[in-house]
Amino acid sequence: MLELRRGVVGGAGTMGSQIALQTALSPRYDVTLVDSVPRQLDRASAQNERLLHRAIEKGRLTEPQAAEALGRITNETDLATAT
């Protein structure tokens, strides 16, 4: 049986970026966040960093856990090359 290890989320708006982040918080999955607007990917990355920083401040995550989660998210502007 094939086990899923990577997901692709289309759209880096508020919902898409948070779906990507929640997926990446599981050490089992890598995720590619796809949006045709590079600026939107930048905004999504900044938002995810803020959310993780807040989780660290509240004691929900450690800094290494947050860094690992961010490392599991890849940004891509072309859906055809997203893997």
Side-chain angles (χ1 to χ4, degrees):
M1 180 183 238
L2 182 63
E3 182 179 347
L4 292 175
R5 299 287 303 159
R6 174 167 280 290
V8 176
V9 177
T14 300
M15 189 172 183
S17 66
Q18 289 184 23
I19 291 169
L21 178 60
Q22 291 303 314
T23 303
L25 283 168
S26 169
R28 294 180 56 193
Y29 303 105
D30 293 323
V31 62
T32 301
L33 183 58
V34 181
D35 200 295
S36 61
V37 180
R39 177 88 173 113
Q40 188 60 38
L41 289 167
D42 294 338
R43 286 185 202 138
S45 294
Q47 177 183 347
N48 285 342
E49 287 178 26
R50 285 191 302 272
L51 290 170
L52 289 172
H53 182 70
R54 196 172 318 149
I56 292 167
E57 287 177 343
K58 292 183 176 191
R60 295 181 187 147
L61 287 176
T62 64
E63 288 189 30
Q65 288 171 319
E68 289 172 10
L70 281 178
R72 285 190 283 274
I73 300 173
T74 303
N75 291 337
E76 180 64 58
T77 57
D78 184 7
L79 183 59
T81 60
T83 58

